[in-house]
Amino acid sequence: GPGSESADALAAARAVEQGDYQLASDSFEDDHVNGGLDSYSPPRRIRQKNSGIQQTEDGEEPAINGVYHGQQHSSDVDFKSSRDRSVGDSSSAVGGELGFHNQSVKNEAMKKSYWYRSTKFLIQWPWVIFTILIPLALIAPAAFQLLKFRYSVANTQIAPRNSPSMECYRRVERNFPLGLMDPLYVIVDGSRYGGGAVKNAEFFNTSALIAQMISERTQVSPMGVTAVSYLNGTSIDWNTAQILLANPGPTNPYPAFFNTSTNSNMDAALITITTPFAPFGDDMKPFTSSIRNILKDPKLSPKYSYYFAGAAVWMVDATTTTFELFPYIILATVLAIFLMISFLLRSAFIPIRYTFTLVFPLSFIFGLAVMIYQDGVLNGLSWDAIRGTDGMYWLAPIITFPICTGLALDYDIFLMCRVAEYRMEGYTNRASILKAVHETGGIITAAGIIMAIAFGGMLFSTTDTLNQIAWILFSSVLFDTFVVRTILVPAVLTIAAAVNWWPRKVPTSGLKDEFEKPAQGGEHHGDGDSKDQALLSVNGSENGGWVHDDGEEL
């Protein structure tokens, strides 16, 4: 009938009253397009609240403050324009109400979120202090174990436990000195005196003295040291050597041995050492130090140069140099991180915060690895992946430290950028933390679990080194995901609210809580979806709402 187009306005108001916001939006859009209230004659009397605009039940033109159609109102109010403006305002208000409704839904979802509720509980004052102290107290014993860390160079840790090579290794170990697999050498070099330096009494006496000191000062037996001047535990002088060299034959192997132990210029000779232990083992490092101390003994002739050589010696030197530099690498890495993140977030508090949320957690992870692989605290579980190996293989911490640091920073930056974003938008420190953890908690957790599964797969390897790397990465990711990012970081940010962003300028007035309400005196709960508020939002203003004649709001 007449006014059917404009009836959409009434339908929209009724839809809001019933909670159907999509119908309200569609009805107001149709009404606005089809001409507003130009021909609307509702069956019930409708009036503009707190105004003089009325329309009677019989469809007469409305009276404006008592003046009907055709009469001039003293304030020159045009009713048609007023109606159009009211409908236009109401149409715009529907969009606002829908936004209000969406925000209300988000607030309700946040209230029910595990991450919001758990973080809200953990950062309550004064319990937030214990939120920091309790985890740190629990991880401190393991973190201090890092101080007794020692690495291993045993090549058995890089071979599969049940491989043919390991079976061969065990058979050699049972029947022969393991040093047969990798002989070591001392080189006595007389090249500065030209060719033929080997063929003199002083050279022979010097090399014999070295061989004798090795058998006396190390684990090597006299039979494990051979030189042109020392055979079967007995020294040979130059005169005896000349006789032996002059009478080669099937019963005299010395000439052949002499030729294989000297170079073609006869100015250098080898002393061969067969150790009773595996050269690529943990006994090699102290043995290397002992041999080098012998070669510095003042009893040795200064005319010659002395070198200790062999593949295992190279490994010892490589690992020693690496771990001498490793603390400086860690320090440089941490300083670079501090500077980069401080610049990114424009906060000087970053180094202090990372002490609690990066340095301590990483110390705990590597300290725990020391307890497992060095002390064997989990040997009772009878799982090879976490059994003691007398120390981690030297490559394990070198490889895992940068990866653990990078993953920890990745999650930290992800969370902190959200906190900074909300803080700059005018949310309180507490609200920024709660919203950021609520929005990133699920994503960080999912990412952490995926990474942990990926790294954890190596725990089923039969190679010790891969097991160690897997455990460190696996435990680091899970600890960072479930403890550091979700407990320690929010707690530290709460405690340090006054200095979190110094010297960065952040909003200090007109702040709002996590539910978009003004943050003034106490916690706000932002329920805000009552029917009255919804209607006021639809109608655009508190004094311009459409109401029934009996005063009931539509």
Side-chain angles (χ1 to χ4, degrees), residues 62-332:
I64 304 176
N65 290 335
V67 181
Y68 286 86
H69 182 65
Q71 297 179 334
Q72 181 65 38
H73 187 263
S74 59
S75 58
D76 295 326
V77 176
D78 183 271
F79 177 66
K80 184 176 185 298
S81 298
S82 177
R83 289 182 302 179
D84 290 344
R85 184 168 59 254
S86 297
V87 173
D89 291 344
S90 298
S91 300
S92 300
V94 169
E97 168 58 24
L98 294 178
F100 170 82
H101 175 66
N102 290 337
Q103 183 60 46
S104 179
V105 171
K106 290 180 180 179
N107 289 346
E108 287 300 321
M110 182 163 61
K111 287 180 184 179
K112 297 176 182 178
S113 164
Y114 164 79
W115 302 110
Y116 172 80
R117 290 185 286 111
S118 61
T119 304
K120 182 180 177 182
F121 172 78
L122 292 170
I123 66 174
Q124 291 182 89
W125 183 264
W127 311 118
V128 65
I129 298 175
F130 297 100
T131 301
I132 297 175
L133 293 181
I134 291 176
L136 292 182
L138 292 175
I139 70 176
F144 281 110
Q145 297 300 309
L146 186 59
L147 298 176
K148 65 177 186 180
F149 164 78
R150 69 173 183 269
Y151 60 86
S152 171
V153 295
N155 59 358
T156 55
Q157 294 201 39
I158 58 175
R161 285 184 284 271
N162 299 319
S163 63
S165 60
M166 281 302 299
E167 179 61 27
C168 178
Y169 179 91
R170 295 186 189 101
R171 290 183 178 276
V172 171
E173 185 178 26
R174 287 193 296 266
N175 298 285
F176 303 97
L178 285 172
L180 287 174
M181 300 176 67
D182 296 284
L184 305 173
Y185 304 96
V186 170
I187 302 173
V188 182
D189 183 11
S191 58
R192 71 180 69 179
Y193 299 103
V198 171
K199 296 180 178 181
N200 67 72
E202 185 176 10
F203 188 96
F204 262 66
N205 292 338
T206 299
S207 63
L209 180 59
I210 293 174
Q212 186 177 357
M213 288 192 292
I214 290 174
S215 64
E216 292 175 351
R217 300 183 187 181
T218 70
Q219 308 98 303
V220 180
S221 68
M223 300 298 292
V225 184
T226 57
V228 292
S229 58
Y230 193 87
L231 283 174
N232 300 321
T234 303
S235 297
I236 300 175
D237 59 26
W238 171 236
N239 291 329
T240 303
Q242 286 180 301
I243 296 173
L244 294 172
L245 290 173
N247 299 285
T251 59
N252 180 17
Y254 182 78
F257 172 72
F258 182 90
N259 291 332
T260 56
S261 298
T262 57
N263 65 345
S264 59
N265 290 332
M266 293 294 168
D267 55 15
L270 294 176
I271 300 175
T272 303
I273 304 171
T274 302
T275 61
F277 53 83
F280 284 94
D282 296 328
D283 292 323
M284 187 60 198
K285 185 176 181 180
F287 182 77
T288 300
S289 297
S290 298
I291 296 297
R292 285 175 172 164
N293 288 334
I294 291 172
L295 299 181
K296 295 176 183 177
D297 194 293
K299 295 178 183 179
L300 301 182
S301 172
K303 293 175 60 176
Y304 308 113
S305 300
Y306 310 99
Y307 307 97
F308 185 40
V313 178
W314 169 85
M315 177 64 74
V316 168
D317 288 345
T319 55
T320 300
T321 301
T322 298
F323 279 93
E324 285 176 351
L325 295 175
F326 195 42
Y328 299 100
I329 295 172
I330 294 175
L331 180 61

Side-chain angles (χ1 to χ4, degrees), residues 103 107 110-111 116 427 513-517 524-526:
Q103 183 60 46
N107 289 346
M110 182 163 61
K111 287 180 184 179
Y116 172 80
Y427 291 90
D513 68 8
E514 64 271 25
F515 301 117
E516 311 292 333
K517 291 201 170 187
H524 298 274
H525 293 286

